[in-house]
Amino acid sequence: MTVRAEPIRWEASLQQAQARIAQEDKPILLDFSAAPL
Amino acid sequence: MDTVTYPDPRVAQLVRQHFVPLKVNVKQDPRLAEDYLVSWTPAVLVADEKGKVHYRCEGYFAPEPFMAQLSLGLGRYWLNRRQFAPARERFEEVAQRHAGSEAGAEALYWLGVVSYKESQDPALLRPSWQQLVQEYPNSAWARRAQVPAQNQ
């Protein structure tokens, strides 16, 4: 089976992610790896 | 994570299919890191629409072990929502695909919990937990599954 290499469509804000969640029955994946603390 | 793990097509597909992904820059948005008690990166959390955290993993993960973490997170999310069929599906997938790893042991532990929660029959904890103790005798998850007889 060929796996498509389509990139992840990251949301840029919690508000945007919550708006998508209202339409999709999925959890949010919060990634805090963008910058080291 | 952004150079190796997320670009992996298997990881990307799993994320696209099962999550609404949000990238948080902790320098630009320190409030969110505070709210979610993130004091170290990388940190990846699985949360619901109310912001409740169902699973978290800290540290770097290569693609294969990260896929196991994502599936465990999904399993815990569905288990907490009492959606036992998708929870079981995720834990079974980890137990099989990641057999021999700590994630495989964790999946067997939670498979027992799903069986119990679904049936309300404590006896149904045993098959998965016995498998866990037999196959992962040195695992921290196996120690958690060895309940003294008086507590059963």
Side-chain angles (χ1 to χ4, degrees), chain A residues 6 11 27-32, chain B residues 6 16 21-22 41 43 45 47:
Chain A
E6 191 179 323
E11 299 298 337
I28 300 181
L29 185 74
L30 293 110
D31 177 281
F32 290 87
Chain B
Y6 286 123
R16 284 199 318 270
L22 169 63
T41 61
L45 281 58

Side-chain angles (χ1 to χ4, degrees), chain B residues 76-128:
Chain B
R76 294 290 299 278
Y77 171 80
W78 290 118
L79 173 60
N80 290 342
R81 294 171 86 91
R82 304 186 66 78
Q83 298 289 317
F84 300 121
R88 176 182 298 281
E89 187 180 340
R90 303 321 306 185
F91 293 136
E92 283 178 346
E93 187 254 330
V94 176
Q96 291 169 15
R97 180 173 177 152
H98 303 276
S101 71
E102 195 65 14
E106 183 174 346
L108 283 177
Y109 183 91
W110 290 108
L111 262 179
V113 176
V114 169
S115 297
Y116 166 62
K117 291 274 189 181
E118 198 169 26
S119 65
Q120 292 301 305
D121 181 357
L124 293 186
L125 276 168
R126 290 203 192 100
S128 294

